[in-house]
Amino acid sequence: RFGAALSGCYSAFRLTTPLLPKRKNLSLKQRREQPQISSDSTGASRVVVRQQSQLNLFFQQQQSHVRSPWRADWSVSPDLLESLSNTETFSLPMEFELEYQGDTGNGQGEERPSSPAPTVRIRKLRLSDLDQVVPLCVQEFGDFAINETVNFPWDDLQNEDAVGKWVESIMFDPLIRFALSMKIKFMEWAEIGDILLCLEERGRCVAIAELSLQPLIPERNPTPIPLPLWLKRVLAQSHGVDGWVTNLLVAPEVRGRGYSKALMKAIEGVAKQWPGCTSISLHVDADPSGGRVPQALYLGLGYNPVIVSATQDRYKWMGPEQIERGLVVVEGVPLLFLRKYLFHRP
């Protein structure tokens, strides 16, 4: 039982996939979103989306989250994203101003504020950022709230989920901090083919993303600990190594401003300068509901599904449309395997 409980600790070490799904097992369930309007203590209305289980291909865990109706007035300019795509030289750190989107131009939008446009910065993640970044990771990837107190289930020791959640509540934060600090330190002096980027707004790190050279094995997660590049090549065997994006995370209060796109463009700019890096691969949540936003992000940026031959027979019962989406199952979690080539292929 103790070994089963430690599975909660292991989930913290799986900080290796972008927008890592919180569902951990395949089932014949899929969540459906049903918006409801509620009011907070100030009387402000909020859209509460309650996830309800329904019979379908994937997931069964029910969740609730708050979807804010707030619309970002400042966001990353489309012209900036285009210039990042076309630049031949890329260097860090980089700073740019946001563009005001509040005025729609038809007289119905708000006038542009007189204050200067906010400036954001993309740079390498530093150890001093961890106090801001780790809580974001716990909030996004953990199975419990940041301030939630999880008591040891003395009365239900046979409940593996309850014991595992208790262990995870203790170990999740320090394990994430340890893994990120190791990557930052190794990134400074060892040739590991790994870089962690941070997007800074008003002096606060509000978004992160990781680019690393990893074995191109679709049905495996990249290793959560930094490894020397030569060892990665040994582990890859005949698969080879290439660019891989993980841990793309944006703080909930600043989503909708284009920070994910800006970080992805910065990652592509860095990858183009790495010798031998010709493409970027990634995993994304396969859930048609919970994974809808990240799927739209990556597909819109030119990342295409890769049909994995090993899954065609194994998961053909799900239907050809799922295989064509690049479906793979990694450690019991359904994901889509996407890839983008950085240079023109004849």
Side-chain angles (χ1 to χ4, degrees):
R1 294 298 178 185
F2 182 73
L6 290 179
S7 63
C9 293
Y10 177 67
S11 65
F13 227 54
R14 291 181 61 219
L15 184 63
T16 53
T17 53
L19 303 179
L20 184 68
K22 298 173 186 173
R23 286 75 53 194
K24 293 181 174 63
N25 295 303
L26 270 175
S27 70
L28 296 179
K29 300 285 184 179
Q30 175 185 352
R31 300 171 302 162
R32 171 176 290 182
E33 296 184 353
Q34 294 188 351
Q36 299 177 4
I37 304 298
S38 67
S39 299
D40 57 21
S41 58
T42 63
S45 296
R46 299 187 302 174
V47 180
V48 178
V49 181
R50 300 202 178 275
Q51 310 284 10
Q52 295 189 349
S53 298
Q54 277 220 335
L55 183 65
N56 209 295
L57 285 179
F58 291 123
F59 311 92
Q60 66 181 354
Q61 180 173 336
Q62 297 185 16
Q63 292 182 336
S64 297
H65 62 270
V66 176
R67 177 183 295 167
S68 171
W70 174 80
R71 175 177 175 269
D73 291 332
W74 297 95
S75 63
V76 178
S77 165
D79 292 337
L80 172 67
L81 296 175
E82 183 67 23
S83 65
L84 289 176
S85 299
N86 298 328
T87 184
E88 301 238 342
T89 59
F90 185 86
S91 61
L92 293 172
M94 60 169 293
E95 292 187 359
F96 53 89
E97 291 184 350
L98 300 181
E99 184 177 83
Y100 185 69
Q101 304 292 337
D103 188 356
T104 60
N106 56 9
Q108 297 179 0
E110 300 178 357
E111 294 184 0
R112 187 186 188 281
S114 57
S115 57
T119 300
V120 297
R121 174 193 241 195
I122 296 178
R123 56 172 174 80
K124 292 181 180 179
L125 190 69
R126 299 190 290 252
L127 289 174
S128 58
D129 298 318
L130 294 186
D131 288 338
Q132 299 171 350
V133 171
V134 172
L136 294 179
C137 297
V138 173
Q139 180 180 5
E140 181 67 25
F141 301 132
D143 288 332
F144 50 89
I146 294 179
N147 298 321
E148 179 183 354
T149 300
V150 181
N151 297 319
F152 187 80
W154 295 105
D155 299 332
D156 193 10
L157 295 178
Q158 298 297 319
N159 188 333
E160 296 180 4
D161 290 338
V163 176
K165 184 176 180 180
W166 176 79
V167 175
E168 183 177 337
S169 69
I170 297 174
M171 300 300 298
F172 201 92
D173 184 300
L175 280 177
I176 290 178
R177 189 177 297 271
F178 173 74
L180 290 178
S181 61
M182 280 188 64
K183 291 182 178 183
I184 293 172
K185 291 178 180 179
F186 275 77
M187 184 174 64
E188 293 176 352
W189 59 270
E191 185 187 358
I192 62 172
D194 200 319
I195 186 171
L196 284 158
L197 297 186
C198 156
L199 189 145
E200 181 183 295
E201 179 192 86
R202 297 184 177 93
R204 174 172 167 251
C205 182
V206 296
I208 62 170
E210 180 178 356
L211 169 69
S212 59
L213 293 175
Q214 297 289 346
L216 287 178
I217 306 177
E219 294 185 285
R220 292 186 190 174
N221 275 325
T223 173
I225 58 176
L227 296 177
L229 187 54
W230 65 265
L231 182 55
K232 293 180 184 178
R233 292 193 172 103
V234 172
L235 296 175
Q237 299 179 358
S238 61
H239 297 277
V241 297
D242 215 335
W244 199 294
V245 169
T246 55
N247 301 328
L248 175 61
L249 174 62
V250 179
E253 65 271 17
V254 297
R255 291 176 183 172
R257 302 184 185 180
Y259 290 168
S260 294
K261 294 179 180 178
L263 274 174
M264 289 300 296
K265 292 297 183 181
I267 275 179
E268 292 172 10
V270 171
K272 289 178 180 178
Q273 301 180 49
W274 284 6
C277 186
T278 60
S279 69
I280 294 178
S281 301
L282 55 88
H283 285 142
V284 64
D285 190 351
D287 184 358
S289 175
R292 176 175 50 87
V293 173
Q295 289 173 26
L297 167 69
Y298 296 126
L299 293 174
L301 291 173
Y303 289 79
N304 298 309
V306 178
I307 298 177
V308 180
S309 57
T311 66
Q312 294 188 37
D313 293 332
R314 192 178 309 167
Y315 307 120
K316 64 182 179 182
W317 58 273
M318 293 183 179
E321 66 279 1
Q322 298 297 335
I323 302 300
E324 292 173 358
R325 294 174 67 213
L327 178 70
V328 293
V329 177
V330 182
E331 300 177 10
V333 179
L335 303 170
L336 303 183
F337 181 57
L338 309 180
R339 180 182 294 165
K340 179 178 181 179
Y341 288 94
L342 300 174
F343 304 99
H344 175 71
R345 302 180 73 202

